[in-house]
Amino acid sequence: MADSYDLIVLGSGPGGYVAAIRAAQLGMKTAIVEREKLGGICLNWGCIPTKALLRTSEVYHYLTHADAYGLSAEKPGFDLAKVVERSRKVAGQLNAGVTGLMKKNKIAVHLGSGTITAPGKLTVKNGDQATDLEAKHIIIATGARARELPAAKADGKRIWTYRHAMTPSEMPTKLLVVGSGAIGIEFASFYSDLGAKVTIVEMLDRILPVEDAEVSELMTKALTKQGMTIKVKHGVAKIASSDSGVKATIKAPDGATTEEEFSHVIVAIGIVPNVEDIGLDALNVQPTKNFHIQTNGFGRTNVPGIYAIGDVTGPPWLAHKASHEGIVCVEAIAGLNPHPFETHNIPGCTYSRPQVASVGLTEAKAKEAGHEVRVGRFPFIGNGKAIALGEQEGFTKTVFDAKTGELLGAHMVGAEVTEMIQGYVIARQLETTEAELMHTVFPHPTISETMHESVLAAYGRAIHI
């Protein structure tokens, strides 16, 4: 006889486990199914462990530039195995935390591969053992995996995905990063700070192509200054690996090709949703044109009782988006009438050096949408705290509707901007205009003052520039 629940969540990433906890809070008998480790990719192989790695490279950068702060650090070095070990310990600690949350909220955990066999029915296979589960509601939160180059499958030795790049057996000397989204730029930053010679290849006309064009421009200058080689409008036609390294055939915009040698390659060209072998075909669940699961604003699919949240439903592929989707979905199931989920107030962050953070429309997208805009910019070089920290590289940019004063978008590049962007996110959520932001008192001295000055600058009122 099948184990019976009110809700089953397939996948325990930041969408799945948050949805399960919210369901338990609302009194639902809840189960979660996970084929690997609780916490999913983000906690075990993505968001969290990469930030541990990036923190190490940041500290190492400061050690190697100690003289700029009047300090001395003789011959700083690093032990790559210990760097990786620390990152894995951080992931392990948080995995244990999620395990504890499941127990605290009395959520049944079924480890194994789950397949939906019919509406309301799911089978979990773990080795030779199969367990049948049933529930009125099933949420699919199976996430996504790295997209690979068709002609160069990752081997974990010379050709890496993000998972290989987090647990390297050796330090790259000359690294090729294919793709310049957040994942590619973060790994480029990490390995460059540890001493690797990094080349970034991007098919589009600028790096970080989803960000505001001015952010991409500053990041190109900053990363080039750090010693990276950046090739936009270029593609990788072929990669051949050997025991000693890789040979990459790089195609220029005019079609000409060059062959370059690298010690390792990281492929960061996007992700593929995990929709295989979970029963979608038999249920006739409607996919999008990019093979994600199609849902409405409450996570409902076209099949009653089947829901989907997180990366498996499409962009933006962000942990915090998945978590909020999960809460909206569960509250809708419980009949609480939540607001439908929307993506326009979801912030994006890149934890490189310098950092990048944004929310809302870029200046170009705002104009494309028909807005007459007012744009404010304030450079970090005009901020006392940034100068004191030795972090004067960066700026804050705000985009307003010229007629209504609506904050259409905010874009930041520089130190600690990933911590500050939430101020603009809250402002947009509250439908704040320029007037409220102008009258908000920002603490001094903080880098956050650039946020205020940027708003003032949009209306010709900036004080410190």
Side-chain angles (χ1 to χ4, degrees):
M1 185 175 178
D3 295 341
S4 182
Y5 299 93
D6 297 316
L7 173 69
I8 299 169
V9 182
L10 180 58
S12 73
Y17 85 75
V18 168
I21 290 172
R22 185 64 182 129
Q25 290 174 343
L26 293 172
M28 298 184 200
K29 184 181 179 183
T30 306
I32 198 162
V33 178
E34 174 55 55
R35 67 181 179 183
E36 291 188 29
K37 292 183 177 182
L38 290 174
I41 292 298
C42 174
L43 190 152
N44 293 286
W45 294 103
C47 321
I48 302 302
T50 55
K51 303 312 162 283
L53 293 175
L54 285 159
R55 176 60 171 168
T56 293
S57 64
E58 180 185 38
V59 172
Y60 185 70
H61 166 74
Y62 287 126
L63 282 173
T64 56
H65 292 78
D67 185 66
Y69 297 87
L71 304 174
S72 61
E74 295 183 7
K75 296 182 180 179
F78 62 89
D79 183 324
L80 186 61
K82 287 184 178 180
V83 171
V84 173
E85 181 184 10
R86 177 179 180 272
S87 172
R88 301 318 307 158
K89 283 182 177 179
V90 169
Q93 180 178 340
L94 290 172
N95 169 261
V98 173
T99 301
L101 288 171
M102 297 299 100
K103 292 179 180 178
K104 175 185 176 182
N105 289 281
K106 298 180 174 58
I107 297 166
V109 176
H110 295 272
L111 296 178
S113 297
T115 303
I116 304 170
T117 56
K121 297 184 182 297
L122 187 148
T123 298
V124 183
K125 292 185 178 180
N126 191 346
D128 296 330
Q129 184 178 357
T131 304
D132 293 326
L133 311 178
E134 62 181 20
K136 184 178 180 180
H137 308 284
I138 297 175
I139 297 176
I140 300 168
T142 49
R145 62 188 182 276
R147 184 183 300 276
E148 296 192 55
L149 287 169
K153 295 293 184 181
D155 58 17
K157 296 179 180 179
R158 296 291 173 183
I159 305 173
W160 295 347
T161 65
Y162 63 86
R163 291 185 70 145
H164 305 120
M166 274 188 285
T167 56
S169 58
E170 60 184 4
M171 177 67 193
T173 54
K174 190 177 180 184
L175 175 66
L176 172 63
V177 178
V178 185
S180 72
I183 293 173
I185 293 298
E186 286 182 2
F187 278 116
S189 188
F190 170 73
Y191 281 109
S192 176
D193 274 347
L194 291 186
K197 183 67 175 176
V198 175
T199 296
I200 300 170
V201 171
E202 170 58 59
M203 290 189 67
L204 298 179
D205 61 354
R206 56 190 176 92
I207 63 171
L208 291 170
V210 302
E211 301 293 344
D212 190 88
E214 291 183 50
V215 170
S216 296
E217 182 181 359
L218 187 143
M219 284 296 291
T220 298
K221 291 177 180 177
L223 299 183
T224 302
K225 184 179 178 182
Q226 292 174 25
M228 299 187 208
T229 299
I230 297 175
K231 298 185 177 185
V232 296
K233 297 183 180 179
H234 282 65
V236 176
K238 181 181 178 182
I239 295 178
S241 63
S242 66
D243 291 340
S244 59
V246 295
K247 289 184 178 180
T249 302
I250 299 175
K251 189 175 182 180
D254 61 2
T257 60
T258 57
E259 190 175 84
E260 297 186 38
E261 295 186 0
F262 300 89
S263 65
H264 299 80
V265 176
I266 296 176
V267 178
I269 56 172
I271 62 173
V272 179
N274 293 322
V275 294
E276 302 89 353
D277 303 321
I278 58 174
L280 298 186
D281 290 339
L283 293 172
N284 292 317
V285 172
Q286 186 70 40
T288 69
K289 63 179 181 179
N290 294 319
F291 305 105
H292 292 84
I293 298 174
Q294 187 169 304
T295 61
N296 69 359
F298 301 101
R300 300 187 185 107
T301 70
N302 63 304
V303 178
I306 304 296
Y307 311 80
I309 61 172
D311 287 357
V312 75
T313 66
W317 299 289
L318 300 167
H320 42 286
K321 174 252 195 183
S323 297
H324 193 69
E325 270 187 312
I327 290 172
V328 170
C329 181
V330 167
E331 290 184 351
I333 290 171
L336 298 185
N337 297 315
H339 290 291
F341 180 78
E342 297 177 324
T343 61
H344 61 269
N345 281 342
I346 301 297
C349 297
T350 302
Y351 300 83
S352 50
R353 187 178 63 82
Q355 296 179 7
V356 174
S358 61
V359 65
L361 298 177
T362 65
E363 181 180 356
K365 290 293 184 183
K367 290 177 179 177
E368 287 176 16
H371 293 278
E372 180 184 343
V373 300
R374 296 189 71 126
V375 178
R377 304 170 184 83
F378 192 84
F380 278 24
I381 191 65
N383 178 264
K385 180 66 176 294
I387 295 171
L389 293 177
E391 300 287 358
Q392 56 263 41
E393 186 175 47
F395 65 82
T396 297
K397 176 178 179 178
T398 44
V399 182
F400 293 90
D401 184 283
K403 296 178 181 179
T404 66
E406 177 189 357
L407 176 63
L408 299 174
H411 310 277
M412 309 174 74
V413 55
E416 304 306 325
V417 297
T418 58
E419 296 292 340
M420 295 190 294
I421 191 63
Q422 191 62 16
Y424 285 134
V425 178
I426 293 171
R428 279 179 51 83
Q429 189 68 29
L430 295 176
E431 300 181 352
T432 300
T433 67
E434 90 291 352
E436 288 82 13
L437 288 168
M438 284 182 180
H439 288 94
T440 298
V441 179
F442 286 72
H444 174 79
T446 63
I447 301 177
S448 70
E449 290 175 278
T450 66
M451 300 169 67
H452 190 215
E453 292 272 15
S454 177
V455 174
L456 294 171
Y459 292 83
R461 292 177 52 181
I463 302 297
H464 292 96
I465 191 171

